[in-house]
Amino acid sequence: MRKAYKFRLYPTKEQQGRIQFTVERCRLLYNRLL
């Protein structure tokens, strides 16, 4: 039997900034490697 959990994150402003920065870097790297 498999179980799944659904949850939502509520990051602070500082965490939002770091997440945005990381996602942006990953996007740029991915596009360059294409």
Side-chain angles (χ1 to χ4, degrees):
M1 174 194 257
R2 292 185 183 183
K3 291 186 178 184
Y5 295 97
K6 203 177 213 183
F7 58 92
R8 188 158 185 201
L9 299 176
Y10 296 98
T12 63
K13 293 281 186 188
E14 182 182 345
Q15 290 169 335
Q16 284 177 354
R18 287 183 182 220
I19 291 168
Q20 185 68 32
F21 176 79
T22 303
V23 170
E24 183 69 19
R25 289 291 178 178
C26 290
R27 183 183 66 83
L28 291 172
L29 179 61
Y30 177 79
N31 286 332
R32 281 198 178 185
L33 291 174
L34 287 178

